Amino acid sequence: CPLREQAQWLADARVMSMANYWVFGAPDIVRKAIRQFLAVQDEDGLIPATGPMDSPLTNIDFPCHFIMMTYEYYFYSGDVEFLKEIYEKLGKIINYFESLVDDDGFIIDKNLKGFFLDWAFIDKNGQVTAAQCLYYQSLVSFAKISKVLGIRDRAEHYDSMASMLKDRINSLLFDKEKGLYCDCRNDGKFSLHYSQQSTA
């Protein structure tokens, strides 16, 4: 975003990196973006929503995209050495997510960092469905990265966590009567709002 924020948005960078692989086949610029975001990683492990300068803009879902973006970088580049270089910093993000997990295995916004998800209205209270789906995919991606690096115990651990989370998303956040995923669940009750984003 060269005009307004004069910064790189993390989730946008992931989308553009995918376009880049197909159109230009230039993974080096994605590696540079990953390095720039990691340079401003918070002490708690979160990556700010914008970089490469320090930014007060944080939320929980953008770092999920970051883990996925990093695995996708490896998938298109085969750059194992880069994964080795940044693995512990990725682990800090996953550890932060684990600090947010409730009794059902869902991440909730304990530290009031917020979920962005989309500009459209989505009910984001309690156990937010779209956030759990992003968390699930980040666990899958981190397990794959661990497997690539031969760290089998962590690969198995996060594969197992992802599998349990997927089951809980489908059993606790899916409204069988409506055939839709609710936006969120609070105190065991479905939100009254069912967005396209949550079910997608």
Side-chain angles (χ1 to χ4, degrees):
C1 185
L3 180 63
R4 190 177 59 185
E5 291 88 352
Q6 297 180 10
Q8 178 165 242
W9 284 93
L10 198 162
D12 302 53
R14 179 183 174 217
V15 174
M16 292 176 196
S17 71
M18 295 296 282
N20 162 61
Y21 297 133
W22 285 95
V23 178
F24 303 110
D28 289 1
I29 61 173
V30 180
R31 184 176 63 227
K32 179 184 177 188
I34 292 169
R35 275 208 173 103
Q36 287 177 325
F37 281 117
L38 285 174
V40 292
Q41 184 175 31
D42 293 346
E43 283 298 313
D44 58 13
L46 278 185
I47 306 284
T50 61
M53 74 300 184
D54 286 330
S55 169
L57 298 171
T58 56
N59 61 37
I60 301 168
D61 43 312
F62 277 30
C64 290
H65 286 288
F66 185 77
I67 299 280
M68 292 180 257
M69 178 180 172
T70 302
Y71 175 72
E72 290 156 359
Y73 165 77
Y74 162 75
F75 183 85
Y76 286 99
S77 70
D79 189 350
V80 178
E81 291 305 311
F82 186 59
L83 291 186
K84 289 178 185 175
E85 178 188 324
I86 65 171
Y87 184 73
E88 291 309 317
K89 289 188 174 189
L90 297 177
K92 280 182 73 174
I93 301 170
I94 292 293
N95 291 341
Y96 180 80
F97 292 155
E98 289 187 84
S99 76
L100 303 179
V101 172
D102 68 7
D103 292 340
D104 290 317
F106 294 135
I107 54 171
I108 58 171
D109 188 12
K110 290 180 183 177
N111 300 327
L112 303 178
K113 298 286 186 181
F115 297 111
F116 170 69
L117 304 174
D118 198 358
W119 287 109
F121 175 72
I122 300 170
D123 191 350
K124 303 173 189 175
N125 294 298
Q127 299 170 329
V128 181
T129 300
Q132 309 318 316
C133 295
L134 290 170
Y135 177 44
Y136 163 78
Q137 195 59 55
S138 64
L139 289 172
V140 169
S141 297
F142 190 68
K144 288 178 178 177
I145 290 168
S146 301
K147 193 172 185 180
V148 166
L149 296 180
I151 308 171
R152 293 187 186 276
D153 56 336
R154 289 186 96 180
E156 289 170 6
H157 173 71
Y158 291 109
D159 261 339
S160 175
M161 279 183 67
S163 181
M164 286 189 289
L165 179 60
K166 182 178 179 179
D167 289 343
R168 288 178 182 141
I169 290 168
N170 288 322
S171 63
L172 297 177
L173 299 173
F174 184 71
D175 185 334
K176 292 178 184 174
E177 288 182 19
K178 288 184 167 50
L180 298 168
Y181 289 89
C182 63
D183 272 3
C184 60
R185 185 170 170 262
N186 246 323
D187 298 322
K189 295 179 182 175
F190 288 152
S191 165
L192 298 177
H193 197 262
Y194 295 75
S195 66
Q196 291 178 336
Q197 289 83 351
S198 296
T199 292

